[in-house]
């Protein structure tokens, strides 16, 4: 039995070390970002003497609730009409097709160059659509917006000047949130995404490390796409895949936190889970594809380290899940084997691995809501951390499938046209699968399992893992609750 207890402790410790390494890289990125903000953003480059040809690609699949909003926003882009081309890459199978056709016809009568591109099938999903569209346009630069985005009219005029050097391959902008205040679910999503866009992307750029095109809300130089090998369809994160292939070939990316591309956050749990599955599985697939190449490249040691943790970002969920499951029996081990107490003290330093993350998310909070009370930050951070822990089973499954190379369909995140607190998710179509599946049932059981960990800690007077088990219980309970609530 002693061997089993030591094995559990070693597994816990290894997971903790990996999480601590990830947290420390986020801490360094935060410092780099804050230093960049303190120095001031670089001045905006002068507008080009002659504006280049730009194609705006809009990949769609069954987006009844948001497609007209998207087309109206893109038709309003303030750019020389003889240099602008809108491509609606429509793979829809419902009445979205008719809505697009009507809008395209309307804007063509106004002199806008806009095409409604239909493929015979969805081969390659979004990446396949983007690749197909590229063959049908002469644009020198390619802007991409997902269906839920609403770009401002000056988007192209604010981003194109930053391609002021031939090696600049991408200009990425910060995502805004149309419905952040809609519910607790959307507030917590915005909280997490803001840290990525306010700090992580800025820190990577400032440190000269690899960043990623975020799939939408950005502009590519066409020759960069082609030089890097074009859009590949072998991962669910075609954006991250192409970003790494391009940067490994020497292309530079620019990130503009001052330019915001507003978008809608998923308001229902099934939509959030489908998005999380795609992002986390795709990240693991991309890590499987590129991690070895990155480590063998001629990049600096710091860039390799940051790239490794960037690619392994989704794998953190596996580490947290393993550590969480192991932590409950550790409460009993600690009570039964007092001779292992010095080693078991490691189990109680769980929260120390998350101290750098407090700094990371608090800095983001201050940038997004300057002057906001710190008392408002604490509960939101704890709820966000708990919710993230509650998604570990779902996300860890996606990561494992990605590392194993298991192929799966690109399930897009359905959007509902929600703005602020207006609209509802009830009675809407575009389900992404049954919510009461095996994973959801296991999430409910894990909530009970970690509640048992709380009870065991209280019984034995062991308070070391109580905060961890409390957050896990809250997180899994929230995920299970929303999964049941959003079934209709």
């Amino acid at each position: 039995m002693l061997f089993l207890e030591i094995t559990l402790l070693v597994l816990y410790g290894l997971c903790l070390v990996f999480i601590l390494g990830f947290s420390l890289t986020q801490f360094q990125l935060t410092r780099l970002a804050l230093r960049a903000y303190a120095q001031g953003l670089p001045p905006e480059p002068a507008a080009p003497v002659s504006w280049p040809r730009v194609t705006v690609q809009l990949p769609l699949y069954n987006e009844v609730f948001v497609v007209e909003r998207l087309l109206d926003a893109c038709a309003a882009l303030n750019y020389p009409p003889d240099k602008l081309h809108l491509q609606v890459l429509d793979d829809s199978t419902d009445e979205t097709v008719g809505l697009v056709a009507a809008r395209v016809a309307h804007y063509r009568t106004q002199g806008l160059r806009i095409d409604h591109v239909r493929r015979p099938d969805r081969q390659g999903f979004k990446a396949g659509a983007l690749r197909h569209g590229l063959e049908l346009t002469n644009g020198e630069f390619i802007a991409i917006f997902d269906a839920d985005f609403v770009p401002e009219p000056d988007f192209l005029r604010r981003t194109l000047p930053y391609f002021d050097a031939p090696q600049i391959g991408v200009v990425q902008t910060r995502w805004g949130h149309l419905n952040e205040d809609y519910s607790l679910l959307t507030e917590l999503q915005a909280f997490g995404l803001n840290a990525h866009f306010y700090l992580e992307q800025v820190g990577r750029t400032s440190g000269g490390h690899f960043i990623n095109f975020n799939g939408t809300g950005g502009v590519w130089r066409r020759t960069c796409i082609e030089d890097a090998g074009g859009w590949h369809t072998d991962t669910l994160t075609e954006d991250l895949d192409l970003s790494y292939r391009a940067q490994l070939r020497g292309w530079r990316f620019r990130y503009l936190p001052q330019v915001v591309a507003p978008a809608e956050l998923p308001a229902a749990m099934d939509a959030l889970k489908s998005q999380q599955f795609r992002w986390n599985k795709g990240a693991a697939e991309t890590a499987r594809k590129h991690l070895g190449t990155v480590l063998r490249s001629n990049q600096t040691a710091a860039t390799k380290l940051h790239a490794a943790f960037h690619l392994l970002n989704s794998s953190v969920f596996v580490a947290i899940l393993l550590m969480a499951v192991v932590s409950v029996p550790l409460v009993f081990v600690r009570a039964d084997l007092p001779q292992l107490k010095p080693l078991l003290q490691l189990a109680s330093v769980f929260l120390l691995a998350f101290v750098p993350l407090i700094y990371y998310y608090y800095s983001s909070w201050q940038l997004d809501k300057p002057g906001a009370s710190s008392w408002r930050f604490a509960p939101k951070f704890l709820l966000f951390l708990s919710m993230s822990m509650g998604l570990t089973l779902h996300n860890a499954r996606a990561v494992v499938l990605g590392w194993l190379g298991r192929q799966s369909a690109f399930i897009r995140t359905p959007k509902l046209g929600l703005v602020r607190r207006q609209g509802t998710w009830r009675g809407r179509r575009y389900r992404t699968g049954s919510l009461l599946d095996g994973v959801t049932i296991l999430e409910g059981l894990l909530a009970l399992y970690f509640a048992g960990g709380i009870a065991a800690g209280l019984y034995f007077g062991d308070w070391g893992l109580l905060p961890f088990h409390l957050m896990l219980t809250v997180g899994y309970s929230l995920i299970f609750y929303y999964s049941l609530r959003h079934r209709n």
Side-chain angles (χ1 to χ4, degrees), residues 56 86 96-97 108 205 218 231 302 309 330 414 439 477:
V56 179
L86 267 58
T96 302
V97 179
R108 276 184 172 173
T205 301
W231 296 103
F309 276 104
L330 281 182
V439 172
S477 298

Side-chain angles (χ1 to χ4, degrees), residues 60 67 71 88 90 92 95-105 116:
L60 301 176
V67 66
L71 295 184
V88 188
D90 183 13
S92 300
E95 58 265 47
T96 302
V97 179
L99 295 175
V100 171
R103 269 295 193 272
V104 168
H116 187 187

Side-chain angles (χ1 to χ4, degrees), residues 25 28-33 35-36 39 168 199-212 243-244 246-248 250-255 294 297-308 310:
T25 60
Q28 187 186 20
L29 290 175
T30 304
R31 290 178 60 85
L32 288 170
R35 185 176 65 185
Q39 293 173 348
I168 304 298
L199 293 174
E200 187 175 351
Q201 291 284 61
V202 175
R204 292 186 190 282
T205 301
S206 175
H209 308 312
F210 286 3
I211 70 168
N212 61 291
S243 296
Y244 265 77
Q247 288 170 108
L248 285 168
W251 290 94
R252 288 172 49 204
F253 287 18
R254 277 189 169 162
Y255 175 66
V294 169
S297 70
N298 60 357
Q299 302 295 322
T300 66
T303 293
K304 289 181 181 180
L305 178 66
H306 279 284
H310 187 195

Side-chain angles (χ1 to χ4, degrees), residues 112-132:
L112 183 65
R113 184 187 174 195
I114 179 170
D115 293 329
H116 187 187
V117 180
R118 298 276 295 155
R119 298 190 296 161
D121 56 51
R122 290 187 71 204
Q123 183 177 6
F125 304 105
K126 180 181 176 180
L130 294 172
R131 185 171 59 194
H132 178 71

Side-chain angles (χ1 to χ4, degrees), residues 17-56:
V17 168
F18 178 68
I19 294 169
L20 181 59
F22 171 77
S23 298
L24 290 176
T25 60
Q26 298 304 97
F27 177 81
Q28 187 186 20
L29 290 175
T30 304
R31 290 178 60 85
L32 288 170
L34 294 179
R35 185 176 65 185
Y37 283 118
Q39 293 173 348
L41 297 172
E44 183 175 340
V49 176
S50 175
W51 290 98
R53 296 187 306 275
V54 175
T55 296
V56 179

Side-chain angles (χ1 to χ4, degrees), residues 43-81:
E44 183 175 340
V49 176
S50 175
W51 290 98
R53 296 187 306 275
V54 175
T55 296
V56 179
Q57 292 189 320
L58 310 173
L60 301 176
Y61 177 70
N62 295 352
E63 295 289 1
V64 165
F65 303 113
V66 296
V67 66
E68 292 175 307
R69 181 180 72 183
L70 169 71
L71 295 184
D72 291 344
C74 291
L77 288 169
N78 179 15
Y79 200 75

